[in-house]
Amino acid sequence: MKCLSYAFELNSVSEDLGCRRGEFSRKHYGSVELLISSDADGAIQRAGRFRVENGSSGENTDYTPGTWHRTDVHLENPEYHTRWYFKYFLGKVHQNYIGTDAEKNPFFLSVVLSDQNNQRVPQYHAILWRKTGTQKICLPYSPTKTLSVKSILSAMSLDKFEKSPREIFHPEIQKDLLVLEEQEGSVNFKFGILYAKDGQLTDDEMFSNEMGSESFQRFLHLLGDTVTLKGWTGYRGGLDTKNDTTGIFSIYTVFQGHEIMFHVSTMLPYSRENKQQVERKRHIGNDIVTIVFQEGEESSPAFKPSMIRSHFTHIFALVRYNKQNDSYRLKIFSEESVPLFGPPLPSPPVFTNHQEFRDFLLVKLINGEKATLETPTFSQKRQRTLDMLIRSLYQDLMPDLHKVNVSLFIPHTCFPVLASKCNALKLKTTVKGDATANLATTSFCKKEPWESQSFCSNFPHEVVCADSWGQSLLVSTDAGILLIDDGQPSVQVFDKTLQVKQMHVLETLDLLIARTDKGKDSRLLVFRLSAVQKDIETKQIIRSKYDCRENKLERTKGCHLYAINTHHGSELRIVVAIRNKLLLVTKKYNPCNSLTSSSLLSSSESPVEEFQYIREICLSDPPVVMTLVDGPTGDSDNMICVAYRHQFDLVNESTGESYRLHHVETNKVNFVAAIDVYEDGEAGLLLCYNYVCQYRKVHPFNGGSPLIQPSAYDFHFSWNQVPYAVVCAFPYILAFTTDSIEIRLVVNGNLVHTAVVPELQLVASKSDIYFKATAAVSGSCDSSSKEMSSRSSPQTPTAYEMPESPLSSLEGEVPCKNLYKIPLSNLVGRSIERPLKSPLAPKVITTTISSGTPSLPVTHSLSLSRMEIKEIASRTRKELLGLLDEPIPKTETAQKQKKAPRRQSDPKQGAVRSTSSDR
């Protein structure tokens, strides 16, 4: 299979993923505290454990509030990507099945063949409804291969049945399945807003405020529009729209397709006789999320969630307004059982841009309510409701059904009455507000951090592996190894006799590590980057495999895989897999061999002698995936994570002892990656296999033997499609399939975006992410649904209507493939130290610039290297202090100015804005 072949060749892409981009911490999302409230006499009234988010205290807080620019403010698990039945199935030709599992629990299965987002990428979408929830997967479409119902259920880990699936032809089933999908949660939201004066410490005092201040009124106007409730036809959030029993006015808005009604305490009915204001508490006390707008200075007594008597409200957003600098300060309280949700608050959590504050607050509140629905309080109720609906539907349908062969899946045309009813139901669902607006219309455009840039157009070669070198890309292809720079002709470095399957470019160590693969003659080669660069600059020779005999590492003959440690500050460790044996090799770090002085070395000098063999470790089977995990001390506590058969094991580098980390309980296992990430300095692993990504924390003890047991920090999630490579760029984790990039958050696994990219191949991801495809990754405006807004028939083409070459618009046309780049700085949202120039810089700067002025040639000397180091240090310092947006090397000023319109963008353009259409 294609996915399996990538596992070996792209392991160099997957093994250095998370840790090279810095450690991550859940402290960005607050810490759990015991909050106690007391009355005026000091007597304790209530207490509760809440996670308090007040901005990370470990970050730099010296900059001016509001000058930060966020790229990670996203709705998590957006309905556009999660409401599959409404988006892909309703009104389309699809099949529905019913059956019972081995425990006699009924289930429903829906399968559709759709052209995803009109990108000419046909896929099977499958939804499995069970009492525990829904499971969704994508399966590739092949015009020559029939997909069976049994294979779909097996991919969802459902292999045994009490009653085999039977197909449902009743047209009303689509209405029933739409009801099941709506149990995932409402697409519209109601949030409470409680006004608190300075010094008020009880909920009776807060709910008794008859009027709000001028700053409170401005805050309400910022959130939404004032609407008259009587006769209101939009989403009402439980308010009375006929008799004014819940007030005359309220605040309402539409945000990214979601209708939001606010329950404002000062707008709800007020009673002078009732001190507890039961009518107000009846609405705000039953809201999952409540905003508390508190007057007063920072030094005045602060609000605590324990002041509010409510068993239903799980999240409080405390908002304070500062008149002096016209800014808002935000603080979030989440009940302890609520899972982590984003976006994390900035540090300090102060907003001077009011529109950015509005967007941030609404995204935070919507994500918070969705996260609360996953707590036991709500999930158990949802599971009972879903179980009841599925069983009731099963009893109604089973008597009229006939058994079908589960080994066959034959797409058929639907009845005309079914199609018309489906389209009417889809329109009715949209009109009544049970589907988000951005499922039916085009969402507003904004610049997303994962948007790609063109790096090399019309790349004709097949890519085997690659790694970034400065701002260039060293690529192993079917034509040899090429060095590619943006906008420059490619340079041949090695000819095609050297077939490289894995490579690492280590600029700080002046090393190029490569694995050649040709059966038993496969070897591990090491080169000096300075020697390779000298050959490029002088254009002396194009090396072949016969010129690399001195670069072969001993004992590595027959290797099929290798891995290196990503934190190689003190020493470089390499583990080479030769069948079921692991060979541990190290290279001590020597400052004299760094890039600053390596230009003085002879190009013929080989670094082989600097490596030393340490030990050999035997495994029971050849590993498929390997990752080196650094111990906290680095002294006999370093480990190797290996994947083989049906398990992930941890191997102690010093003793060779292995420990079971995770066993995969499935018949077939497709190992993808084991990613080492470090949370607050402690090692953890993201284990990726099949559709699953699971986080496991590793606690070393007793001289390096790992403590492997379930932890409260462990979590897992499922991809919608089996990836062949996974890239971690905090706060995101990206899964690459043959035609899509699935983007989730590392901290909780929640889906953020799915980009359809035809004929996708990940190339490199050490710094910026490079991939090869026929189309780029665009922003949210291009990813919006075109199916609902299309004037053509909503019917999805059946199998015989699908073009045999779905990616070509004209018969016989072969789509060209390009190399694209996703800048790492866009994803991580902070400054990243960049190399001063790429390896092709000498070639570029000795040519004539378009203005006609020849640039000065660069002479490689030790003094110039010191100048480069000084400039890098100065520029990096400016980046860290926020004084420099994008580092521009002096030697490439003209070239960067020429490309400035494409590379530089106004930071304000990426911000999410509230427009009149948004409301």
Side-chain angles (χ1 to χ4, degrees), residues 392-639:
S392 175
L393 188 57
Y394 175 82
Q395 293 174 359
D396 294 340
L397 293 173
M398 277 304 294
D400 301 329
L401 299 180
H402 300 283
K403 186 176 180 180
V404 298
N405 189 349
V406 296
S407 63
L408 296 178
F409 172 71
I410 305 175
H412 59 276
T413 57
C414 68
F415 302 105
V417 63
L418 178 60
S420 60
K421 285 188 176 184
C422 293
N423 296 329
L425 178 60
K426 197 166 191 176
L427 178 62
K428 181 180 178 181
T429 304
T430 304
V431 171
K432 75 176 184 178
D434 289 339
T436 57
N438 57 7
L439 277 175
T441 59
T442 302
S443 61
F444 64 94
C445 298
K446 68 172 183 176
K447 184 176 178 61
E448 299 288 8
W450 47 78
E451 289 186 29
S452 58
Q453 305 170 357
S454 178
F455 183 74
C456 180
S457 301
N458 298 325
F459 191 70
H461 306 291
E462 292 295 327
V463 177
V464 180
C465 64
D467 200 6
S468 56
W469 183 359
Q471 300 210 21
S472 299
L473 194 64
L474 192 63
V475 187
S476 174
T477 69
D478 53 348
I481 298 180
L482 309 176
L483 187 63
I484 305 171
D485 200 0
D486 190 3
Q488 301 297 325
S490 60
V491 176
Q492 185 99 25
V493 181
F494 296 91
D495 65 17
K496 62 181 180 180
T497 60
L498 191 67
Q499 301 179 11
V500 173
K501 302 297 184 180
Q502 263 185 280
M503 70 166 64
H504 281 88
V505 176
L506 307 178
E507 297 171 74
T508 56
L509 302 182
D510 190 31
L511 284 178
L512 168 63
I513 305 176
R515 175 175 64 86
T516 62
D517 193 353
K518 194 157 186 180
K520 297 180 180 180
D521 294 331
S522 57
R523 294 271 190 171
L524 206 63
L525 307 179
V526 289
F527 304 89
R528 291 202 188 280
L529 277 180
S530 53
V532 177
Q533 183 172 355
K534 184 176 180 181
D535 291 342
I536 297 173
E537 295 169 1
T538 59
K539 301 180 182 179
Q540 289 181 348
I541 59 171
I542 298 177
R543 300 193 188 193
S544 67
K545 70 174 184 178
Y546 306 105
D547 302 316
C548 305
R549 295 169 183 171
E550 297 181 355
N551 300 92
K552 296 180 180 178
L553 276 182
E554 296 181 1
R555 298 173 177 253
T556 61
K557 183 177 181 180
C559 62
H560 68 273
L561 191 65
Y562 81 92
I564 67 171
N565 61 319
T566 51
H567 291 278
H568 40 260
S570 58
E571 71 172 357
L572 172 66
R573 309 196 320 274
I574 306 177
V575 173
V576 185
I578 307 173
R579 292 181 292 277
N580 65 328
K581 293 189 297 184
L582 301 183
L583 193 69
L584 181 60
V585 180
T586 64
K587 176 187 182 299
K588 295 294 182 181
Y589 178 69
N590 186 357
C592 297
N593 291 335
S594 63
L595 190 60
T596 58
S597 59
S598 58
S599 58
L600 302 177
L601 298 175
S602 171
S603 61
S604 61
E605 183 177 347
S606 172
V608 171
E609 299 299 328
E610 301 173 9
F611 291 84
Q612 61 182 38
Y613 163 78
I614 302 299
R615 67 180 52 86
E616 187 178 279
I617 301 173
C618 290
L619 303 176
S620 58
D621 290 272
V624 180
V625 170
M626 290 195 308
T627 298
L628 275 66
V629 182
D630 293 336
T633 66
D635 183 17
S636 72
D637 56 2
N638 294 324
M639 291 168 286

Side-chain angles (χ1 to χ4, degrees), residues 718-860:
S718 297
W719 305 105
N720 291 330
Q721 194 170 354
V722 177
Y724 63 77
V726 176
V727 174
C728 183
F730 188 79
Y732 306 107
I733 180 169
L734 297 81
F736 287 78
T737 72
T738 55
D739 48 35
S740 68
I741 304 176
E742 191 172 329
I743 305 167
R744 294 178 178 265
L745 296 178
V746 176
V747 73
N748 54 19
N750 286 345
L751 179 66
V752 173
H753 183 72
T754 301
V756 180
V757 187
E759 296 194 39
L760 172 66
Q761 180 188 0
L762 178 63
V763 174
S765 64
K766 182 177 68 178
S767 53
D768 298 331
I769 298 175
Y770 297 87
F771 64 89
K772 184 181 177 183
T774 57
V777 180
S778 56
S780 59
C781 58
D782 292 330
S783 63
S784 58
S785 175
K786 299 181 179 65
E787 299 176 44
M788 289 292 295
S789 58
S790 175
R791 295 187 179 91
S792 61
S793 171
Q795 290 291 332
T796 299
T798 54
Y800 57 83
E801 295 173 322
M802 288 287 183
E804 293 204 3
S805 178
L807 295 174
S808 56
S809 56
L810 300 175
E811 186 176 358
E813 179 185 351
V814 178
C816 60
K817 293 186 179 181
N818 308 319
L819 291 179
Y820 297 96
K821 177 179 73 172
I822 302 177
L824 178 63
S825 57
N826 292 351
L827 288 171
V828 301
R830 56 181 180 268
S831 296
I832 299 295
E833 181 179 346
R834 297 292 182 184
L836 186 67
K837 62 178 182 294
S838 69
L840 292 182
K843 176 181 176 182
V844 175
I845 61 178
T846 54
T847 58
T848 302
I849 308 298
S850 57
S851 61
T853 304
S855 58
L856 297 176
V858 175
T859 58
H860 292 271

Side-chain angles (χ1 to χ4, degrees), residues 60 189 245 307 374 412 446 540 882:
N60 180 23
F189 299 89
T245 61
M307 297 176 180
E374 301 302 321
H412 59 276
K446 68 172 183 176
Q540 289 181 348

